[in-house]
Amino acid sequence: MKLKILNIILYPENKNLKPRFIKFEEDKINVISGYSQRGKSAIISIIDYCLASSDCNIPIGLIRDKVDKFALYIAIENKKFFIARDSPKRKNTEIMYLYEIFGKGDSPIFNTNDWIEHEDEYKTTKENVKQLLNKFDKFENISSDQNKDGKEEPASFRDTVAFSFQPQNIIANPTTIFYKTDTFEHQRKLKLVFPLVLGYKSFKIINLEKEVDILEKEYQEYQNKYDRIQLQYQNWSTDIYNYYSTALKLGLTDNELNIEEVSTERLKRELIYIIKNVKNKNYHKKGSSLRYASQLDRLDKQRQIVLKDLRQLRSELFKYEQIDNTKNTYEEEVLSSVSNRLSPLKWFLEREGTNICPFCKSETNTGINELIALRNEQDRIKPLVDNHNLTTFSFEKEKNICRTAIKKKEELIQEIDNNINILLTENTSEHDRFTAIFEFVGKLENILDNLRKLEPENELMQTLSVLKQKQEKKKEELKILQSHFNKDACLLKLTNTIDNYIQMLPIEDNTNKRVLLDPDKSINIRIEDTRTRNITFLSKIGSGANHMCYHLATLLGLHEYFLKLESYKKQNFVPTLLVLDQPSQVYFPEGFPDEKNSSKKTEIKTSKDLEDTKSIFQVCSNFMQKTKGHTQIIILEHASAKIWQGIPNINLVEDWRGDENTAEYNALLPQSWLNE
């Protein structure tokens, strides 16, 4: 996105004073040089604020108090706009002011404070300004995760300014490189748009990925619901097996169903078949008597097998508990005893020299030699004790497995016994048998009706099937789209572009280092040693100077890469603007030598630092030549013009120096504003 700053404009609280204009060149490195505390670091915050940021980082105090409105005159693509915003000190900062400038000399009212009297004519909202910037940026809405208010806030042009600003707290930061990514919210949204701005994803791919993710979550919710119902449904198998045993006793079935293997669905079909037979007056199934005896025999055999398994499990549990008890006894009685028995040695060895008996005070070497021998033994034993304490283990996991298995076997025995009792209960007469059959069928119909209520609904299964089909269709569509984008090729081009700037900057061992960016792994940069292939984060590399140079190389490389995207028929979503706030701070942390306070001694002492500082401007100039001035750079510096003397493509915007209350004084806020 072609975006350049033409002017920063400050409109004073006192309308008798003139507005403050700072003019920039579109195709140059624009430098504002000056002393500390003159307002340089507020420039990034003012630009960001006027580009519809959600929060305001303009310093609280003098700047906010003296300024009524902050404004920008900007060029976006082939159009120019005046954008202003109220000072945040007391007004509604959701209100903004917008006007399109149609040509030279249009609306000269903005050169004065007069427009503020008619501000309602230009009034708009922050959201409208964001939408305008999105439109020029061709930025479509892509949803991110829900924010803290529960509203889904789409990613926008605002998230691309992460690549445009390097304030003082970021430019040499070892843990973060992109603007505002020190907060989780901005990190999350930048991670979402990063693949898009690098050109290896499209809006359609990102939206499809979100759709697939939503479908997967929805499918999983329905699947969990289905699994819960299915589990509850299957758990009924032991309950309704009792009805099968009763049917067998009454001679209503001759099918053989194993209590340990039969499913709920199979039992349900058998019981429905039994009801149908009874209603057709088929009260006795041929062979059911033999099946009755066979079922009793099989249940009894199963009971014996389960009892045998139960005895074996109890024996295993006893062994595990016995081993644990023996281990604990060994620890208490052997290791602790040995360790404690030798504990007084230290006291003896610290008494009155090395050859005096602590009891009779006579001079002898025998006692001390014995004590030393014991201490050596103590030193030998100590690692064994310590090692045992570190490697100590228990059979608690195995014991819990045994306990669970024992519980299940006991429940199975109880269920088998219940079914045996059902089969052994005799009817006293044929009349009683028929009564029992009709009562049984009534209960059976009721239990099957309840079972149907628990059975997973066809509608739920159909929903799962539809969701699965949608999911597979979206995944296939996504796969086809992704085949047209080559992530590895994009990232390799970016790495090679950044590498050109690494070689130009005074980075330690720069010939063997390269920057890796992979948003799917991290939104921060990683550094690879090309000899060892070791990859590490920037925070693992020492020196603030190295950190700053890696930042500068990465940002310049990114902006050159962004400008090339159009040649690959891809959209550049990032503003063609890069603002650097005092990159030289890593070379002059305690004050920068300038015309006012320099000395020959200081200049000699800092000659290497001066050369390294000069390289910052030289590399930026090289960037401007390579990119033909398509990206505007603004540098806010303490360094004086002597540093970049002779380097092309640099425009000194203003020099904020001079003593206060003098005609030479210059700063963001004019002397006249401070005196009123």
Side-chain angles (χ1 to χ4, degrees):
M1 176 187 181
K2 184 180 178 182
L3 186 152
K4 305 288 182 72
I5 307 295
L6 304 178
N7 291 100
I8 291 175
I9 314 166
L10 309 183
Y11 292 94
E13 187 73 32
N14 182 349
K15 299 304 180 287
N16 294 320
L17 299 170
K18 293 181 180 180
R20 170 78 162 101
F21 282 80
I22 304 171
K23 185 180 179 182
F24 300 94
E25 297 289 339
E26 292 185 54
D27 56 352
K28 291 288 193 295
I29 302 165
N30 295 273
V31 182
I32 296 177
S33 175
Y35 297 150
S36 298
Q37 299 181 339
R38 293 294 174 98
K40 297 190 301 297
S41 293
I43 294 295
I44 287 178
S45 300
I46 291 170
I47 296 173
D48 190 36
Y49 185 60
C50 292
L51 291 178
S53 67
S54 298
D55 52 0
C56 177
N57 292 314
I58 297 172
I60 294 172
L62 201 60
I63 298 176
R64 292 196 188 195
D65 293 341
K66 295 293 182 180
V67 178
D68 178 42
K69 288 176 171 58
F70 298 93
L72 296 178
Y73 179 31
I74 62 175
I76 308 179
E77 301 301 335
N78 298 318
K79 298 190 177 184
K80 295 179 180 179
F81 292 90
F82 171 84
I83 300 175
R85 197 168 181 181
D86 290 320
S87 175
K89 59 182 177 291
R90 62 176 179 272
K91 300 181 181 179
N92 180 4
T93 56
E94 294 297 306
I95 299 297
M96 293 189 70
Y97 307 92
L98 178 68
Y99 181 78
E100 183 177 350
I101 307 293
F102 290 99
K104 189 174 181 180
D106 181 28
S107 296
I109 192 171
F110 294 118
N111 294 328
T112 69
N113 298 317
D114 295 344
W115 74 274
I116 297 174
E117 295 178 14
H118 313 283
E119 63 182 37
D120 287 348
E121 297 177 19
Y122 313 101
K123 190 174 286 186
T124 184
T125 64
K126 176 175 67 95
E127 193 58 35
N128 285 340
V129 173
K130 280 175 64 176
Q131 291 305 319
L132 175 74
L133 295 169
N134 280 346
K135 180 182 176 182
F136 278 105
D137 204 17
K138 297 182 176 64
F139 212 102
E140 300 174 18
N141 281 349
I142 45 176
S143 60
S144 61
D145 296 332
Q146 287 189 335
N147 64 17
K148 60 185 178 183
D149 298 319
K151 297 177 183 177
E152 194 160 272
E153 192 172 298
S156 70
F157 157 84
R158 283 293 319 158
D159 300 296
T160 65
V161 299
F163 304 100
S164 291
F165 301 131
Q166 286 280 291
Q168 269 194 56
N169 66 316
I170 295 289
I171 199 163
N173 194 314
T175 58
T176 186
I177 183 170
F178 299 113
Y179 182 57
K180 285 190 175 179
T181 51
D182 49 349
T183 66
F184 176 73
E185 180 184 355
H186 287 98
Q187 279 188 28
R188 185 188 69 230
K189 294 177 75 176
L190 180 60
K191 190 169 184 179
L192 182 67
V193 303
F194 215 146
L196 179 72
V197 301
L198 290 181
Y200 68 83
K201 283 187 182 180
S202 65
F203 282 112
K204 194 165 185 181
I205 287 176
I206 291 175
N207 285 325
L208 265 175
E209 286 176 337
K210 295 293 290 184
E211 288 177 34
V212 168
D213 186 52
I214 290 168
L215 282 171
E216 284 180 346
K217 288 177 181 177
E218 189 177 1
Y219 179 84
Q220 194 57 53
E221 286 176 5
Y222 278 101
Q223 184 65 54
N224 291 341
K225 182 179 179 182
Y226 176 84
D227 291 342
R228 287 194 299 271
I229 294 172
Q230 185 71 9
L231 179 63
Q232 191 176 8
Y233 179 73
Q234 292 300 334
N235 285 341
W236 271 63
S237 60
T238 54
D239 294 332
I240 61 176
Y241 193 87
N242 292 340
Y243 288 87
Y244 162 73
S245 294
T246 302
L248 193 62
K249 181 189 73 173
L250 294 172
L252 300 176
T253 181
D254 62 351
N255 282 319
E256 184 178 329
L257 303 178
N258 192 313
I259 190 172
E260 290 187 85
E261 298 172 359
V262 70
S263 68
T264 301
E265 187 62 30
R266 177 68 184 88
L267 281 167
K268 186 183 78 170
R269 289 201 305 271
E270 181 65 23
L271 296 179
I272 290 171
Y273 177 68
I274 289 168
I275 292 172
K276 183 180 178 181
N277 281 336
V278 171
K279 287 184 177 180
N280 290 332
K281 298 184 179 181
N282 185 359
Y283 302 126
H284 190 87
K285 290 290 289 182
K286 186 178 179 181
S288 60
S289 298
L290 293 174
R291 185 65 61 206
Y292 168 82
S294 174
Q295 176 72 348
L296 269 175
D297 182 56
R298 185 172 63 254
L299 286 172
D300 184 61
K301 287 178 179 177
Q302 281 183 278
R303 190 178 189 280
Q304 296 304 318
I305 292 170
V306 174
L307 280 172
K308 181 180 177 182
D309 292 342
L310 188 59
R311 285 192 294 270
Q312 186 174 347
L313 285 168
R314 285 171 176 166
S315 176
E316 284 183 24
L317 179 61
F318 174 74
K319 288 176 182 177
Y320 287 134
E321 288 176 339
Q322 198 172 36
I323 292 170
D324 260 357
N325 290 335
T326 303
K327 174 181 67 69
N328 294 333
T329 302
Y330 172 77
E331 287 177 0
E332 292 174 7
E333 295 183 3
V334 180
L335 290 178
S336 296
S337 175
V338 169
S339 181
N340 293 334
R341 194 178 302 164
L342 296 175
S343 59
L345 281 173
K346 184 178 178 182
W347 183 87
F348 280 111
L349 289 169
E350 289 175 350
R351 301 303 96 191
E352 300 184 19
T354 59
N355 61 349
I356 303 298
C357 177
F359 299 106
C360 65
K361 306 298 182 182
S362 62
E363 185 175 340
T364 176
N365 291 324
T366 303
I368 192 64
N369 289 338
E370 289 295 329
L371 288 171
I372 290 171
L374 286 171
R375 185 182 64 183
N376 291 338
E377 184 65 16
Q378 184 186 40
D379 291 342
R380 186 186 68 80
I381 293 171
K382 189 175 185 300
L384 298 176
V385 176
D386 292 343
N387 186 57
H388 175 269
N389 291 333
L390 288 172
T391 57
T392 186
F393 60 93
S394 73
F395 289 93
E396 200 59 40
K397 179 181 177 181
E398 289 78 4
K399 288 192 286 186
N400 285 333
I401 292 172
C402 280
R403 292 184 186 113
T404 302
I406 287 170
K407 183 180 178 182
K408 287 182 179 178
K409 292 295 182 184
E410 288 176 340
E411 288 173 352
L412 183 57
I413 287 174
Q414 187 179 21
E415 187 58 35
I416 291 171
D417 286 347
N418 288 340
N419 283 277
I420 289 174
N421 290 334
I422 289 170
L423 292 171
L424 290 176
T425 304
E426 295 182 1
N427 291 318
T428 54
S429 67
E430 189 67 14
H431 175 267
D432 289 340
R433 178 177 177 274
F434 280 106
T435 303
I437 287 173
F438 294 125
E439 287 179 355
F440 170 69
V441 168
K443 289 179 181 178
L444 205 54
E445 287 180 323
N446 182 59
I447 196 72
L448 290 175
D449 185 54
N450 289 334
L451 189 60
R452 273 190 291 272
K453 293 175 183 177
L454 281 176
E455 188 175 7
E457 300 174 3
N458 287 332
E459 185 179 346
L460 179 59
M461 297 174 74
Q462 287 173 1
T463 301
L464 278 169
S465 177
V466 169
L467 285 173
K468 192 68 175 176
Q469 289 174 8
K470 283 183 179 179
Q471 197 176 8
E472 294 303 322
K473 185 179 178 181
K474 292 288 183 185
K475 282 184 175 180
E476 185 60 31
E477 189 178 348
L478 182 60
K479 186 178 179 181
I480 293 170
L481 272 175
Q482 287 173 331
S483 67
H484 299 297
F485 291 81
N486 190 327
K487 172 186 171 181
D488 292 338
C490 286
L491 296 182
L492 181 58
K493 285 176 185 175
L494 177 59
T495 292
N496 292 336
T497 305
I498 294 171
D499 189 57
N500 292 330
Y501 296 101
I502 288 177
Q503 304 311 314
M504 298 179 196
L505 287 162
I507 293 174
E508 185 180 346
D509 195 24
N510 59 356
T511 57
N512 297 306
K513 296 291 191 296
R514 67 175 189 162
V515 166
L516 302 180
L517 260 172
D518 186 346
D520 295 329
K521 295 179 179 177
S522 172
I523 59 171
N524 287 320
I525 62 172
R526 296 174 300 149
I527 313 300
E528 181 185 34
D529 188 314
T530 56
R531 293 167 304 182
T532 64
R533 298 298 177 187
N534 289 334
I535 298 173
T536 184
F537 282 102
L538 184 58
S539 57
K540 300 294 184 182
I541 294 175
S543 167
N546 281 328
H547 301 155
M548 184 279 296
C549 287
Y550 276 116
H551 277 237
L552 184 57
T554 301
L555 267 297
L556 292 176
L558 276 165
H559 277 271
E560 182 183 333
Y561 175 85
F562 293 147
L563 292 172
K564 291 177 181 176
L565 285 173
E566 290 184 5
S567 64
Y568 306 128
K569 297 182 180 180
K570 295 179 180 179
Q571 175 71 22
N572 176 17
F573 297 100
V574 178
T576 53
L577 172 69
L578 179 59
V579 188
L580 310 172
D581 186 6
Q582 203 164 311
S584 72
Q585 63 178 286
V586 296
Y587 300 121
F588 303 95
E590 297 177 359
F592 195 94
D594 52 46
E595 295 93 333
K596 182 180 177 183
N597 56 14
S598 65
S599 67
K600 186 175 181 181
K601 182 178 179 181
T602 304
E603 288 171 357
I604 293 171
K605 181 181 177 182
T606 60
S607 59
K608 174 65 167 64
D609 291 333
L610 290 171
E611 285 301 314
D612 289 346
T613 303
K614 186 175 182 178
S615 70
I616 294 171
F617 295 92
Q618 184 62 63
V619 170
C620 288
S621 179
N622 293 347
F623 167 82
M624 296 301 286
Q625 287 178 310
K626 289 184 73 175
T627 59
K628 298 179 181 179
H630 287 305
T631 296
Q632 183 186 44
I633 294 180
I634 298 174
I635 300 181
L636 312 166
E637 254 303 342
H638 198 96
S640 67
K642 283 185 176 181
I643 294 293
W644 62 83
Q645 192 171 10
I647 298 176
N649 304 309
I650 297 180
N651 168 47
L652 178 59
V653 176
E654 292 187 7
D655 192 357
W656 292 355
R657 288 181 168 79
D659 294 331
E660 291 185 32
N661 299 313
T662 67
E664 289 76 27
Y665 177 83
N666 204 355
L668 176 65
L669 299 182
Q671 184 75 65
S672 58
W673 289 28
L674 303 178
N675 293 338
E676 61 89 20

